[in-house]
Amino acid sequence: MKISVIVPTYNERENLEELFERIDKSLKNYEYEIVVVDDDSPDRTWEFAQRLSERYSVKVIRRSDEKGLSSAVIRGFEEAEGDVFVVMDADLQHPPEVIPELLKAIEDGADIAIASRYVPGGGVKNWYWYRRLISKGAIAIGRLALPKIRNVKDPVSGFFALKREVVEGVQLNPVGFKILMEVLIKGNYGKVAEVPFTFGLRKAGESKLGGKTMLNYIRHVYRLMRWEGELDRLIKFTLVGLSGVFVNEGFLWAFVNFLGWDKILANIPATELAILNNFTWNDLWTFRDLKRRPLWKRLTSFHIAALTGAVVQWALYAGLVYMGLYYLVANLIGIALSFIVRFLVNRHVTWG
Ligand code: GDD
Ligand code: MN
């Protein structure tokens, strides 16, 4: 089994020597190559890497036509000769000593092994609480929006190992900024393992991923949702919800006008009929491929989602109005959040 360690670099000259030294020590029991993909760094990282190739097994790719972390990693996949690929940063925030543990997980049957900050034993060094919060929030959004990765604790880690087959022949989008997430959605694999590690401090130089990162991430999640067909579900769920409004209004009108029922009480059966309408269409259309639970469970869970949504809507409305927000705006926010909650509960539980 040959290992290819893929290292994207941009102005990492000062980190390379220690990085290679520690990789070499960690992989002394393996046949390996290091594939450096450098984007023509002004500090001439590529040149220094080339020089170090006299001492270590290094292949240097100097790109001048293209830029970007994800596309660099994808290029690395194309150039790598190993049976197992390891992807890691050059700045030593990813300790090379963890690589053997990743390889162990692969040898034990995993197709992808992630060095994870968010499994027991893992962590981050010197992050303020709000950085942790943003990181965890971003991951939560990704896991909720993409049910396929909902069990992965750190799907945005930049440190992982995978079998060559996972990405061979797979069209990966380099615009996608979190390459691991791209691989987890589009790759060919069965088992994923997570190995704890502590995301350390940068040795030298500075981070290149700042400012626009969060917005880019949301765009990436959105694109992957589209690719997965999750966006289609969201649209269908919305259309079904709209049809429910007509059912609710129609029956309410009929009960009051033709049957002379009390206006307040008549809305209870009218609402229930709308819920049943929505359930039926979602079951036959939106989630038709996901009927894994028995019908009575799906029906119960759908009602719980509806009730939860109503409570969220009302609580948010009451809270925001109390805080002084204009009531119609407060209601819109309540409706929007209730919608998201209902979609997620149904996607992950009812048809989970
Ligand atoms: N070739 C190339 N081109 N390499 C790049 C580029 C680029 O445009 N931008 C960054 N790199 C290289 C850096 O030189 C470094 O080796 C690695 O990619 C990570 O870049 P950093 O700038 O150190 O990223 P970070 O520490 O902010 O983010 C890391 O942690 C995140 C999790 O919090 C990365 O590993 C992310 O992938 C990860 O999601
Ligand atoms: Mn870094």
Side-chain angles (χ1 to χ4, degrees), residues 235-302:
I235 291 166
K236 290 175 182 171
F237 187 80
T238 310
L239 293 175
V240 169
L242 287 175
S243 83
V245 173
F246 288 97
V247 172
N248 195 332
E249 289 274 272
F251 277 106
L252 182 60
W253 177 76
F255 291 156
V256 171
N257 260 281
F258 296 126
L259 304 178
W261 289 4
D262 176 78
K263 282 183 182 131
I264 295 188
L265 292 180
N267 206 6
I268 296 171
T271 301
E272 178 56 25
L273 286 166
I275 290 178
L276 292 174
N277 167 81
N278 292 7
F279 176 82
T280 307
W281 289 116
N282 281 321
D283 205 53
L284 292 175
W285 188 42
T286 316
F287 303 110
R288 64 166 171 250
D289 52 326
L290 295 173
K291 290 190 255 189
R292 286 188 277 250
R293 314 178 100 213
L295 178 64
W296 72 269
K297 278 196 180 174
R298 300 203 299 277
L299 253 175
T300 311
S301 162
F302 192 76

Side-chain angles (χ1 to χ4, degrees), residues 78-91:
E78 287 161 10
E79 303 281 345
E81 283 166 11
D83 311 293
V84 173
F85 302 161
V86 175
V87 176
M88 69 188 299
D89 295 348
D91 58 2

